[in-house]
Amino acid sequence: MFVEKTITGKFTFQFEQATKNFIQWLLDNNKDFSYKMNSNAVTVKFTEDEEFEAAFAMRDKLDNEANPQMQLDLED
């Protein structure tokens, strides 16, 4: 008998650049994902909880980095 656990995460971004960077991160880490053009949402399948948590943290990091308001705050 074989059982495989699959976790599907839909990651939605506020900023297009964050979406592009997340897709590149997924490619660099050999992750299976789907993405529709002109969308800021990426759907990813994971087999481990830790992989999902890492992707979730990366989503937050990239969205914050792409936020123009954060860039203004850093200049002050």
Side-chain angles (χ1 to χ4, degrees), residues 2 4 15-17 19 21 34 41 47 55-57 65 67 71 74-75:
F2 179 75
E4 182 177 317
F15 306 101
E16 183 180 354
Q17 188 59 47
T19 307
N21 291 345
S34 64
T47 56
F56 184 76
E65 288 175 355
N67 184 343
Q71 294 170 2
L74 293 175
E75 292 175 4

PDB file of all heavy atoms in Angstrom, residues 2 4 15-17 19 21 34 41 47 55-57 65 67 71 74-75:
ATOM      1  N   PHE A   2       0.484   2.234  -0.764  1.00  0.00           N
ATOM      2  CA  PHE A   2       1.254   3.464  -0.877  1.00  0.00           C
ATOM      3  C   PHE A   2       0.335   4.650  -0.636  1.00  0.00           C
ATOM      4  O   PHE A   2      -0.746   4.741  -1.226  1.00  0.00           O
ATOM      5  CB  PHE A   2       1.888   3.559  -2.269  1.00  0.00           C
ATOM      6  CG  PHE A   2       2.680   4.799  -2.483  1.00  0.00           C
ATOM      7  CD1 PHE A   2       3.926   4.965  -1.918  1.00  0.00           C
ATOM      8  CD2 PHE A   2       2.172   5.820  -3.270  1.00  0.00           C
ATOM      9  CE1 PHE A   2       4.654   6.110  -2.121  1.00  0.00           C
ATOM     10  CE2 PHE A   2       2.886   6.975  -3.476  1.00  0.00           C
ATOM     11  CZ  PHE A   2       4.138   7.113  -2.902  1.00  0.00           C
ATOM     12  N   GLU A   4       0.428   8.963  -0.367  1.00  0.00           N
ATOM     13  CA  GLU A   4       1.206  10.185  -0.565  1.00  0.00           C
ATOM     14  C   GLU A   4       0.386  11.373  -0.092  1.00  0.00           C
ATOM     15  O   GLU A   4      -0.743  11.574  -0.539  1.00  0.00           O
ATOM     16  CB  GLU A   4       1.560  10.360  -2.037  1.00  0.00           C
ATOM     17  CG  GLU A   4       2.400  11.592  -2.291  1.00  0.00           C
ATOM     18  CD  GLU A   4       2.809  11.714  -3.740  1.00  0.00           C
ATOM     19  OE1 GLU A   4       3.195  10.694  -4.339  1.00  0.00           O
ATOM     20  OE2 GLU A   4       2.724  12.818  -4.276  1.00  0.00           O
ATOM     21  N   PHE A  15       1.937  42.461  -5.307  1.00  0.00           N
ATOM     22  CA  PHE A  15       2.802  43.131  -6.271  1.00  0.00           C
ATOM     23  C   PHE A  15       3.333  42.153  -7.312  1.00  0.00           C
ATOM     24  O   PHE A  15       3.776  41.052  -6.982  1.00  0.00           O
ATOM     25  CB  PHE A  15       3.964  43.808  -5.538  1.00  0.00           C
ATOM     26  CG  PHE A  15       3.489  44.727  -4.452  1.00  0.00           C
ATOM     27  CD1 PHE A  15       3.505  44.327  -3.131  1.00  0.00           C
ATOM     28  CD2 PHE A  15       2.981  45.977  -4.761  1.00  0.00           C
ATOM     29  CE1 PHE A  15       3.041  45.160  -2.128  1.00  0.00           C
ATOM     30  CE2 PHE A  15       2.505  46.815  -3.764  1.00  0.00           C
ATOM     31  CZ  PHE A  15       2.534  46.410  -2.445  1.00  0.00           C
ATOM     32  N   GLU A  16       3.286  42.574  -8.577  1.00  0.00           N
ATOM     33  CA  GLU A  16       3.701  41.716  -9.687  1.00  0.00           C
ATOM     34  C   GLU A  16       5.153  41.261  -9.556  1.00  0.00           C
ATOM     35  O   GLU A  16       5.481  40.113  -9.844  1.00  0.00           O
ATOM     36  CB  GLU A  16       3.504  42.461 -11.006  1.00  0.00           C
ATOM     37  CG  GLU A  16       3.846  41.636 -12.223  1.00  0.00           C
ATOM     38  CD  GLU A  16       3.637  42.393 -13.516  1.00  0.00           C
ATOM     39  OE1 GLU A  16       3.125  43.521 -13.486  1.00  0.00           O
ATOM     40  OE2 GLU A  16       3.987  41.839 -14.563  1.00  0.00           O
ATOM     41  N   GLN A  17       6.031  42.156  -9.126  1.00  0.00           N
ATOM     42  CA  GLN A  17       7.440  41.783  -8.993  1.00  0.00           C
ATOM     43  C   GLN A  17       7.623  40.659  -7.969  1.00  0.00           C
ATOM     44  O   GLN A  17       8.457  39.770  -8.153  1.00  0.00           O
ATOM     45  CB  GLN A  17       8.302  42.994  -8.614  1.00  0.00           C
ATOM     46  CG  GLN A  17       9.783  42.707  -8.651  1.00  0.00           C
ATOM     47  CD  GLN A  17      10.256  42.243 -10.022  1.00  0.00           C
ATOM     48  OE1 GLN A  17       9.925  42.834 -11.032  1.00  0.00           O
ATOM     49  NE2 GLN A  17      11.027  41.173 -10.060  1.00  0.00           N
ATOM     50  N   THR A  19       5.458  38.327  -7.359  1.00  0.00           N
ATOM     51  CA  THR A  19       4.993  37.106  -8.030  1.00  0.00           C
ATOM     52  C   THR A  19       6.099  36.534  -8.900  1.00  0.00           C
ATOM     53  O   THR A  19       6.390  35.333  -8.856  1.00  0.00           O
ATOM     54  CB  THR A  19       3.742  37.396  -8.896  1.00  0.00           C
ATOM     55  OG1 THR A  19       2.763  38.048  -8.095  1.00  0.00           O
ATOM     56  CG2 THR A  19       3.168  36.120  -9.468  1.00  0.00           C
ATOM     57  N   ASN A  21       9.344  37.013  -8.663  1.00  0.00           N
ATOM     58  CA  ASN A  21      10.442  36.522  -7.827  1.00  0.00           C
ATOM     59  C   ASN A  21      10.089  35.193  -7.165  1.00  0.00           C
ATOM     60  O   ASN A  21      10.952  34.324  -7.009  1.00  0.00           O
ATOM     61  CB  ASN A  21      10.816  37.563  -6.771  1.00  0.00           C
ATOM     62  CG  ASN A  21      11.455  38.793  -7.376  1.00  0.00           C
ATOM     63  OD1 ASN A  21      11.887  38.794  -8.527  1.00  0.00           O
ATOM     64  ND2 ASN A  21      11.505  39.859  -6.611  1.00  0.00           N
ATOM     65  N   SER A  34       1.540  25.994 -10.680  1.00  0.00           N
ATOM     66  CA  SER A  34       0.772  26.489 -11.821  1.00  0.00           C
ATOM     67  C   SER A  34       0.547  27.979 -11.614  1.00  0.00           C
ATOM     68  O   SER A  34       0.451  28.469 -10.479  1.00  0.00           O
ATOM     69  CB  SER A  34      -0.551  25.754 -11.969  1.00  0.00           C
ATOM     70  OG  SER A  34      -1.374  25.980 -10.859  1.00  0.00           O
ATOM     71  N   ALA A  41      -1.505  35.194  -8.476  1.00  0.00           N
ATOM     72  CA  ALA A  41      -1.680  34.004  -7.644  1.00  0.00           C
ATOM     73  C   ALA A  41      -0.914  32.836  -8.257  1.00  0.00           C
ATOM     74  O   ALA A  41      -0.908  32.650  -9.469  1.00  0.00           O
ATOM     75  CB  ALA A  41      -3.149  33.655  -7.507  1.00  0.00           C
ATOM     76  N   THR A  47       4.724  18.096  -0.603  1.00  0.00           N
ATOM     77  CA  THR A  47       4.543  16.816   0.078  1.00  0.00           C
ATOM     78  C   THR A  47       4.924  16.906   1.555  1.00  0.00           C
ATOM     79  O   THR A  47       4.652  15.990   2.308  1.00  0.00           O
ATOM     80  CB  THR A  47       5.373  15.707  -0.598  1.00  0.00           C
ATOM     81  OG1 THR A  47       6.738  16.104  -0.627  1.00  0.00           O
ATOM     82  CG2 THR A  47       4.891  15.449  -2.017  1.00  0.00           C
ATOM     83  N   ALA A  55       7.723  28.160   1.830  1.00  0.00           N
ATOM     84  CA  ALA A  55       7.129  28.929   0.733  1.00  0.00           C
ATOM     85  C   ALA A  55       6.271  30.065   1.273  1.00  0.00           C
ATOM     86  O   ALA A  55       6.290  31.177   0.735  1.00  0.00           O
ATOM     87  CB  ALA A  55       6.307  28.013  -0.167  1.00  0.00           C
ATOM     88  N   PHE A  56       5.541  29.807   2.341  1.00  0.00           N
ATOM     89  CA  PHE A  56       4.713  30.837   2.964  1.00  0.00           C
ATOM     90  C   PHE A  56       5.582  31.990   3.467  1.00  0.00           C
ATOM     91  O   PHE A  56       5.272  33.160   3.247  1.00  0.00           O
ATOM     92  CB  PHE A  56       3.897  30.219   4.109  1.00  0.00           C
ATOM     93  CG  PHE A  56       2.937  31.168   4.746  1.00  0.00           C
ATOM     94  CD1 PHE A  56       1.754  31.505   4.117  1.00  0.00           C
ATOM     95  CD2 PHE A  56       3.211  31.715   5.990  1.00  0.00           C
ATOM     96  CE1 PHE A  56       0.852  32.385   4.710  1.00  0.00           C
ATOM     97  CE2 PHE A  56       2.332  32.586   6.586  1.00  0.00           C
ATOM     98  CZ  PHE A  56       1.148  32.930   5.950  1.00  0.00           C
ATOM     99  N   ALA A  57       6.679  31.658   4.121  1.00  0.00           N
ATOM    100  CA  ALA A  57       7.603  32.683   4.616  1.00  0.00           C
ATOM    101  C   ALA A  57       8.226  33.456   3.451  1.00  0.00           C
ATOM    102  O   ALA A  57       8.389  34.682   3.523  1.00  0.00           O
ATOM    103  CB  ALA A  57       8.691  32.050   5.474  1.00  0.00           C
ATOM    104  N   GLU A  65       9.256  43.015   0.281  1.00  0.00           N
ATOM    105  CA  GLU A  65      10.361  43.636  -0.456  1.00  0.00           C
ATOM    106  C   GLU A  65       9.863  44.390  -1.682  1.00  0.00           C
ATOM    107  O   GLU A  65      10.452  45.393  -2.074  1.00  0.00           O
ATOM    108  CB  GLU A  65      11.376  42.582  -0.893  1.00  0.00           C
ATOM    109  CG  GLU A  65      12.204  42.032   0.243  1.00  0.00           C
ATOM    110  CD  GLU A  65      13.125  40.908  -0.192  1.00  0.00           C
ATOM    111  OE1 GLU A  65      13.074  40.471  -1.371  1.00  0.00           O
ATOM    112  OE2 GLU A  65      13.903  40.435   0.649  1.00  0.00           O
ATOM    113  N   ASN A  67       6.989  45.922  -1.938  1.00  0.00           N
ATOM    114  CA  ASN A  67       6.073  46.980  -1.532  1.00  0.00           C
ATOM    115  C   ASN A  67       6.762  48.340  -1.651  1.00  0.00           C
ATOM    116  O   ASN A  67       7.729  48.610  -0.940  1.00  0.00           O
ATOM    117  CB  ASN A  67       5.624  46.732  -0.089  1.00  0.00           C
ATOM    118  CG  ASN A  67       4.593  47.726   0.383  1.00  0.00           C
ATOM    119  OD1 ASN A  67       4.396  48.776  -0.197  1.00  0.00           O
ATOM    120  ND2 ASN A  67       3.935  47.382   1.474  1.00  0.00           N
ATOM    121  N   GLN A  71       9.886  50.610   0.668  1.00  0.00           N
ATOM    122  CA  GLN A  71      11.070  51.261   0.143  1.00  0.00           C
ATOM    123  C   GLN A  71      11.145  52.717   0.591  1.00  0.00           C
ATOM    124  O   GLN A  71      12.202  53.221   0.922  1.00  0.00           O
ATOM    125  CB  GLN A  71      11.106  51.162  -1.379  1.00  0.00           C
ATOM    126  CG  GLN A  71      11.284  49.726  -1.840  1.00  0.00           C
ATOM    127  CD  GLN A  71      11.090  49.556  -3.341  1.00  0.00           C
ATOM    128  OE1 GLN A  71      10.854  50.525  -4.048  1.00  0.00           O
ATOM    129  NE2 GLN A  71      11.183  48.326  -3.799  1.00  0.00           N
ATOM    130  N   LEU A  74      12.283  52.891   4.210  1.00  0.00           N
ATOM    131  CA  LEU A  74      13.706  52.637   4.389  1.00  0.00           C
ATOM    132  C   LEU A  74      14.553  53.855   4.043  1.00  0.00           C
ATOM    133  O   LEU A  74      15.623  54.047   4.597  1.00  0.00           O
ATOM    134  CB  LEU A  74      14.142  51.459   3.507  1.00  0.00           C
ATOM    135  CG  LEU A  74      13.559  50.098   3.897  1.00  0.00           C
ATOM    136  CD1 LEU A  74      13.965  49.046   2.870  1.00  0.00           C
ATOM    137  CD2 LEU A  74      14.021  49.699   5.286  1.00  0.00           C
ATOM    138  N   GLU A  75      14.058  54.717   3.168  1.00  0.00           N
ATOM    139  CA  GLU A  75      14.792  55.908   2.774  1.00  0.00           C
ATOM    140  C   GLU A  75      14.757  56.982   3.843  1.00  0.00           C
ATOM    141  O   GLU A  75      15.613  57.842   3.900  1.00  0.00           O
ATOM    142  CB  GLU A  75      14.255  56.449   1.459  1.00  0.00           C
ATOM    143  CG  GLU A  75      14.537  55.549   0.284  1.00  0.00           C
ATOM    144  CD  GLU A  75      13.892  56.026  -1.006  1.00  0.00           C
ATOM    145  OE1 GLU A  75      13.275  57.135  -0.980  1.00  0.00           O
ATOM    146  OE2 GLU A  75      14.006  55.333  -2.006  1.00  0.00           O
TER     147      GLU A  75
END
